[in-house]
Structure formats: structure tokens, C-alpha cells
Amino acid sequence: MAVHMQNIGKMITEQLRNPNELDINLRMEFGPFETVHKWKRMSECYEFVGARRSKHTAVAYKDAIYVFGGDNGKSMLNDLIRFDIKEMSWTKTGCMGTPPAPRYHHSAVVHMSSMFVFGGYTGDILANSNLTNKNDLFEYKFPSAQWVQWRFTGPEPVPRSAHGAAVYDDKLWIFAGYDGNARLNDMWTVNLVGENRQWERVEQKGQCPPTCCNFPVAVARGKMYVFSGQSGAKITNALFQFDFETHTWSRICTEHLLRSAGPAPARRYGHTMLAHNRHLYVFGGAADSTMPSDVYCFDLDTQMWAMIQPAAESQVPSGRLFHAGAVVGDAMYIFGGTVDNNVRSGELYRFQLSNYPRCTLQEDLGRILRSEQFCDVMLLVGEEPAAVLAHQALLAARSTCLRDKIMEAREELSARVAAGEAKAPEPYNYQGKPDLVIHLPEARPEAFRMVLTYIYTDRIDPTERLMEERPASDDTIQLVMEVLRLSLRLRIPRLCGLCAAFLRANLCLGNVLKALHAAHLSNLCCIKEYCLRFIIKDYNFTPIVMSKEFEQMERNLMVEIIRRRQQPLPFKPPAGDAADDALAGTTLEQDLCMFLSGGAELSDVTLRVGGVSRPAHRSILAARAAYFEAMFRSFSPRNNIVNIQICDSVPSEPAFDSLLRYIYYGETNMPTEDSLYLFQAPIYYGFTNNRLQVFCKHNLQTNVSPDNVLAILQAADRMHATDIKEYALKMIAHQFAVVSRNVARQEAIKNLAQPLLVDIVLTLAEEGKFDIPAQTQPRCALAPSTSAEPII
């Protein structure tokens, strides 16, 4: 068995699914640390350094933020001021050459060791004279503090302000803006390297954003993103992406996805949007008649928006517009802007961004569904049965109806085996067809497969199977109606709510009568009521009753529409109709959390650490970890018992439970001691990425203290966790007087193994002179996190 386990270890090394996302050299750092999503007010820029301002730009270069131009409410500016991140101080930046004329609503980007400033609005705003847009391009060379104006031959972009600018492939890209008479949506580009200084107009393809100004752009993953802005009557909260390679625009449309995601930020202008890792962060701006101070992020992996709740003790900035922002390291800095009563601000705020790898729970479970590996139940769906393979554990965790059917089928199979009518199923034979069969004749196969996808991933795309891009098409509406009916029958309330919300959002003149008829036949009272209310509205009623579809309606429905029009009723959702609330029910994480503690009756494997055993489910273990996938595909463990270890060590019982919580539902909150045991688990077990390792790292960084550092040192040495051991040694050296102050700690030091004592002495010789004050409390707590959190 030992030899076989070694072979399994080799197999998982070869089968890590995303090796680029696993950082096996993840290192510990030595503080200080900031709490994720915490706002902190930094040093204000005082008048003797630079004026308060708005409509300016801010860029990051090395460990500093450079702010250029803007207006102070009375005049335009062209000064360049600098905030040093390490020194936490503002300074005026000297320069050589002729700087750009004072301006605002210009753009600024960084390429290599230079800042490029383009366009903007210039003149005397107080005297209302010489006001004009510009199309000039200036380069500021950081090393020499020199301004240089670029000269061009050939065609150039029309002068503009409030436009967007980005750098990609050594080129400057300029998009849209305002030319003084109209909003634009053209695009121009120029090489920033080489001798060819000519502007080129870009022929844009695809779904281009409307003409707009006062919008931000961000670049990530080879694409440029544009969100909202001033577009006149066409202003929306849509997010567009531009592919630099193909010159193609596309609108990121998520309305057709049924999933538990938050709404996009309200439409706005004068806001900022900054890219960091896989997220786009949106802050501030004017949203209709308000100036919100909330932060939204868009996850490029999951295509989901989420509003971020600020961490405790945050110094949240007031709402503002025409501010500027930049990202340095893992923090977003916001400077200036126009606040209440048209007042310019000189404030600087820091927002700690998340650097956690994404949760892959839904992705992992979706993959095992598509692969049909380790399936242990067959569902015969429809009147002409179509066979669908699945996993008992996932079905039972998400649907009480399916759980009941699984238990009934198990009892029936056991009775048939006892009566000699069926052969005893082979233990865990995942190569052949499952012995357990469930009949669902009332379900349409297409709708059931969509429900099954939701069970595993918490999301479905109704347009995917129909190859239909229009969420409001008749076929899509009919399919979602069938999914709603089936989810009600299978008792999956959250999916019911999502389907109902989808149908309400996509009702239109072209589909409402068919939706009404389908809801009537399926007895979907809530949807039927919404259809009736839609039809009798003043601006809908006439075109609907004059249509051919209305002439062909059933008589009883036609009468009901006319009577409802004559005497509208106050809307009261039918009692107990789960389809009315998209937030009713539970998420995938919540269901698997409950199933981990309450699904022992469906367990098919036992995990053991020392004398402690836990029932578990092969399908979930195999979906989440390449280690278990390789093991179960190769052989069935003796007595269905798997002894758990991490590298050469056996984790503690609490750490073992923390590991199970992570595997089943992505939980990352754990005691500091558990983090030490689980730090190397992502590599050993072959998780999809190193999310767990990063949380363990942060937990150790922020919560190791003089009280527990000696125990951490011993455990790290025993586990051969070199970087954690090095971190503990540094803390002991930096706080040796505190660590050795009381009798208990002195005794603990005396009882250390001699090699560890030598390590402490050597570390003291190197770093002991940097003694720092004792830490009475953990520097910060781990941000609450499960896979359902907005930022990961």
C-alpha cells in the first residue's frame, strides 16, 4: 500500500490541472499588512504643494503616484505633483522643458519610463476665454524629469477632452471623448517606440459603445474595457470590451445568465475604473442624482459584478466625481475630485485590494459533471427515457426531492437483491453503468440537463443550448418556463426565483402572450400574474390586443385579460410561491456545508486522521483534488478507508476538518494553527489553484504572535515548511525580548531542539538589532471568505 501511495503521489504531480495557477514557491513576507478591502485616509496634499483639484489625471510609476493638471475651481492647472508611497509624503516635481498648457479632462498613461499626456480642455475658465480642446501629445520622462512635445505628420485625431486612453503593444490608444460640439466614438493609435510618429485611425468592428465622454478605461488580458459614461439618452451601465488584436468591440452581456450574482453598478459618469489581477474596480462618479461612495468589482473569470463591503474601521471617502486613481502593488489610490457643493478635494485615500485566487468550486464540480467520471446514479428522463448520468452526493445535497428519490431507489434495489431479482452491485464500479436508477418521466431532458448544470455550478445559460443570443426569444422563454416548472417540482427554490426574475426581466410585446399561455398550462401562478400585469399596462394593451397572436388565444385567457383591464387588482404574490423571490433558497456553498455534516447516509468512503474518521463522498473529493481523482480511478482503498496526510506529516484533527470544509464548500476561515498544517495542501492534493495556500499564508502572516511563534516554529520545522520556519525565526529575532519575557516562554525556549536553538542564535546575529514593539493583538483578521464572497 505504501508503494502504491507513492505512485499516486507521482500521478497527481503530473495531473495538476492548472500548474500556472499553483505557486509552489509562495513565500512569507514580514509585515506590516493591511486588511483586505479597508479604506485608509492618507496624507492630504496641502496648498503649498499643490491645489485641491478635479478633472485631473493620476498615474503610478514605481513606488509613487504622479498627478497632473485639472482645475481648482477657479483656474486650470498644469503642475505635476508626486506622492511617495514609502515616505507617505507629497512633493512638487521639478521639470525641464516646456510642460503642457494648463488643462483638464485630458488623459495620462505610463509606458516604460515615461508618462504621456494627450488632449484635454484648455483656457481661462474664470474669464471664459481661449477655451478650446487640444489634440497635442506630451511625454514626461521620469528619469530626467523632462517634458517633450511630440510632433506628427499626416492625419491626427480631432481635438477632444473627457476621452479614454490606454497603452497596449507599445502603442497609445485614444477612444471617444467630446470635441466641443458632439460626443465621439472614434479610435486612434500611435506607436510609442521607433521613429514612425504618425497617428492611425482604427477601423473598429463589432458592437461599439455609443458616443460617450467622461468614462474610464482599463486594460486587462489583452483587452480594453469601457464602463458607462455620458452618452446622452443612450447612457447605460453596460460594460464593453475591445480586443486589441482583432479591433473588435463586444458588449459583456450577462443578463441571460441565471446565477446568484449581484447587479451591475448604476449608470454613471466621472468615475474611475482600475484593473488589478482578474478584477476591474469601479469607484465613485455621478449616478443620476447621487454621488455614491461604494466600490464595485467585476470578475473577469466569472463575469460577475459584486459590490464590496468596506472592512471594519475603514475611513471611507465621501462620494465624488472627476477624481483620479491608480494602482500601486495591491492597493488602489484615489485622489481629489469634486465633492458636495462643487468643492474640490485634496484628499488621498488608499483601498486595499484582494489578491486571492478565485474559488474554483463551481468550476471543479462542473468539470466532473461534463466528464461523467465517478457517476453512481442514472436518471431516465422524459416519456421516451433519455439516460443522464450524475452523482448521488450532489443531487442529494441540492434537492430534497432528488434525495428522497435516491433513498427510495436504494431501498428498492436492496429489496430486489435480497429477493434474488437483481445482482448485488459491484462495490464502486465506476467503469460501467450505475446500478442505481431513478425515473423522471415528467421532465423534459433538455430542461433537466439545465437544472443539473445549476445543481453542480449554481448557474445556467438558457441561450447556450438553443444557440440563441436573444434572451427574450420565444424558445428561450419557453425553456426557462420549463426549467422553472421542473425546479418547483424538484424543490430547488433559489433556481425557481432566478427563473422567475429572468422571465420578468425579459417579458416583451413579442413574447408575453406565449409566456402567459405557458404559465397558465403549467400552473405557474406568479408568472401568469406578472404577464397579466404587463399586458394591461396602458402602453402595452393596445398593440397586444390588436396582434394576430391575441386573436388566436384561448377564450378563457382572452376573457381574463379583458376583465383584468377593466378592473385591475392589487398585486399580491400567491402565498408560498417560491418563484417570486430570487434570493429564496440556498446557494451551492450553503447546501454543501449542510451536506458535509448531514450526508453520512450517502457516504461511500471514509477519511481517517489518526484515530479520527469522517464519512465523505468520492465524487466531491475527486472533483476537487487531483490526488483523490487519481486514487479512485486507479483502485478502491482497502475497506474504503483513506488515511490522510499532507506531505510527510499528519494534520491535527481541527486542521483535518478545515481541509474538509475547504474541499466541500470552499471555506477558508480557520485557526492559525490549521493554516500551518494546510499551507502545503494545495500542492500535495493537486487543487485547481493555490487559493487555500494564499489564505493560509495571510493567516500566518497576520496572526502569528509572540505567544504562539515558538509552537509555530517547532511545527514548521517538523513539517519541513522552510518559508514558514524562516518567518517564525525572523519574528523571534525581531521581538526576542518579548518572546522570552515570561517564565513559560523561557521554558519553551529551553525545551527547543538544539538545531532550532542554533537557528535562533544565527537569526539573532543577522537581524536581532531590529527589535520592534510587542504585538498585543493580531495585526488583522482574515477577511471572511467562502466561494460565495464577492472578492476572492
Side-chain angles (χ1 to χ4, degrees), residues 594-608:
M594 293 184 288
F595 189 68
L596 177 60
S597 58
E601 60 188 353
L602 293 173
S603 167
D604 54 5
V605 68
T606 299
L607 304 181
R608 185 167 63 190

Side-chain angles (χ1 to χ4, degrees), residues 534-584:
F534 181 92
I535 292 169
I536 65 172
K537 289 180 179 178
D538 291 339
Y539 46 84
N540 292 335
F541 184 74
T542 299
I544 288 175
V545 298
M546 296 298 291
S547 67
K548 292 183 179 180
E549 289 80 3
F550 184 79
E551 296 176 4
Q552 299 169 358
M553 287 199 66
E554 293 182 9
R555 183 175 179 276
N556 57 341
L557 281 178
M558 190 179 298
V559 170
E560 192 170 357
I561 291 173
I562 295 173
R563 287 177 176 173
R564 181 66 66 89
R565 171 70 176 179
Q566 294 299 115
Q567 192 174 5
L569 299 175
F571 175 58
K572 293 183 180 180
D577 193 341
D580 189 55
D581 188 357
L583 298 180

Side-chain angles (χ1 to χ4, degrees), residues 487-512:
S487 59
L488 284 167
R489 185 177 184 86
L490 297 180
R491 300 197 291 273
I492 310 177
R494 199 174 188 89
L495 180 55
C496 298
L498 291 172
C499 289
F502 177 92
L503 292 168
R504 293 196 296 267
N506 288 285
L507 283 179
C508 64
L509 295 175
N511 63 30
V512 66

Side-chain angles (χ1 to χ4, degrees), residues 262-263 294-297 305-309 790:
D294 45 22
V295 177
Y296 279 83
C297 77
W305 283 104
M307 187 173 73
I308 301 174
Q309 295 299 325

Side-chain angles (χ1 to χ4, degrees), residues 258 381-383 440-452 454 460 462 465-466 471 473-492 495-500 502-503 514-524 527 579:
L258 299 183
V381 182
E383 296 180 357
L440 294 174
E442 72 281 4
R444 280 177 49 194
E446 187 175 37
F448 179 77
R449 287 191 176 93
M450 291 192 68
V451 172
L452 196 62
Y454 178 83
I460 52 176
R465 293 186 182 277
L466 297 173
S473 70
D474 291 343
D475 290 339
T476 302
I477 294 297
Q478 295 294 324
L479 179 58
V480 174
M481 198 85 73
E482 180 63 24
V483 170
L484 171 57
R485 186 187 68 80
L486 188 55
S487 59
L488 284 167
R489 185 177 184 86
L490 297 180
R491 300 197 291 273
I492 310 177
L495 180 55
C496 298
L498 291 172
C499 289
F502 177 92
L503 292 168
K514 290 184 178 180
L516 173 65
H517 184 257
H520 175 71
L521 293 179
S522 300
N523 197 29
L524 298 175
I527 301 302

Side-chain angles (χ1 to χ4, degrees), residues 183-344:
R183 301 182 184 93
L184 310 168
N185 70 346
D186 58 338
M187 183 179 291
W188 293 77
T189 185
V190 62
N191 277 307
L192 298 179
V193 296
E195 301 300 324
N196 180 22
R197 294 192 173 183
Q198 286 188 328
W199 284 101
E200 296 180 26
R201 180 159 185 159
V202 178
E203 295 298 326
Q204 305 170 78
K205 296 179 289 186
Q207 191 176 3
C208 186
T211 55
C212 58
C213 61
N214 287 319
F215 59 91
V217 300
V219 176
R221 300 182 177 181
K223 294 179 174 60
M224 180 173 70
Y225 295 87
V226 170
F227 173 72
S228 201
Q230 286 182 297
S231 303
K234 296 181 180 179
I235 182 172
T236 68
N237 63 344
L239 179 65
F240 291 86
Q241 67 178 12
F242 176 76
D243 190 309
F244 287 107
E245 301 298 331
T246 64
H247 296 178
T248 302
W249 283 101
S250 59
R251 179 175 178 266
I252 299 179
C253 179
T254 59
E255 292 87 346
H256 61 290
L257 299 178
L258 299 183
R259 58 183 177 181
S260 305
R267 63 182 189 176
R268 60 191 66 199
Y269 67 91
H271 50 296
T272 54
M273 180 170 66
L274 300 167
H276 178 254
N277 289 340
R278 70 178 193 277
H279 294 119
L280 304 176
Y281 291 89
V282 172
F283 170 74
D288 293 328
S289 59
T290 64
M291 287 198 297
S293 61
D294 45 22
V295 177
Y296 279 83
C297 77
F298 182 77
D299 191 316
L300 296 172
D301 284 339
T302 64
Q303 303 280 283
M304 293 171 66
W305 283 104
M307 187 173 73
I308 301 174
Q309 295 299 325
E313 302 179 358
S314 284
Q315 298 169 300
V316 181
S318 59
R320 60 196 62 214
L321 76 160
F322 300 141
H323 49 286
V327 172
V328 180
D330 290 335
M332 175 176 70
Y333 292 83
I334 298 296
F335 174 69
T338 301
V339 294
D340 288 339
N341 299 318
N342 208 29
V343 174
R344 270 56 174 178

